[in-house]
Amino acid sequence: MARLAEVIASRRGGDPDKSYVARLFHKGTDTILKKVGEEATEVVIAAKDGDPAKIVYEVADLWFHSIVALAQFGLTPAQVIAELERREGLSGLTEFASRPR
């Protein structure tokens, strides 16, 4: 994940005609977030179809586009991993109840 995040960050200022990632950044936040939403929907469809290879393929796309979204906001996968580690050992119900409303 860290290596992928580095590659994504390195392509941020690239030529949008030569790099898909550069094109996403060039088009901006709305385009990036739309791709995350599309990929999340494709994960759901693949899971409903029950094809393990398709699920893995679509989750890979979702993770990729999520890392692009993180980079758009100056965030990294390491920060997400740290949050998951913070939650480790907490009851999901307890963690949810502790969130500000």
Side-chain angles (χ1 to χ4, degrees):
M1 291 274 198
R3 188 173 58 195
L4 177 58
E6 289 173 11
V7 170
I8 287 169
S10 76
R11 295 188 181 160
R12 185 176 197 132
D15 183 346
D17 293 328
K18 295 181 180 173
S19 166
Y20 174 71
V21 171
R23 184 175 300 162
L24 287 172
F25 284 124
H26 180 75
K27 288 184 175 184
T29 301
D30 286 347
T31 296
I32 293 167
L33 297 179
K34 181 179 175 187
K35 283 303 297 178
V36 172
E38 288 172 8
E39 298 304 340
T41 299
E42 290 174 7
V43 168
V44 171
I45 292 167
K48 288 191 67 76
D49 290 346
D51 180 345
K54 211 171 172 183
I55 296 167
V56 168
Y57 182 89
E58 296 301 344
V59 168
D61 280 352
L62 176 59
W63 287 8
F64 174 86
H65 288 91
S66 294
I67 294 171
V68 172
L70 288 170
Q72 179 70 359
F73 293 99
L75 302 169
T76 66
Q79 290 170 282
V80 176
I81 291 167
E83 174 60 16
L84 291 171
E85 288 170 346
R86 183 192 70 78
R87 295 180 189 184
E88 187 175 352
L90 290 177
S91 158
L93 296 174
T94 302
E95 194 282 326
F96 184 74
S98 72
R99 294 180 188 178
R101 297 186 200 277

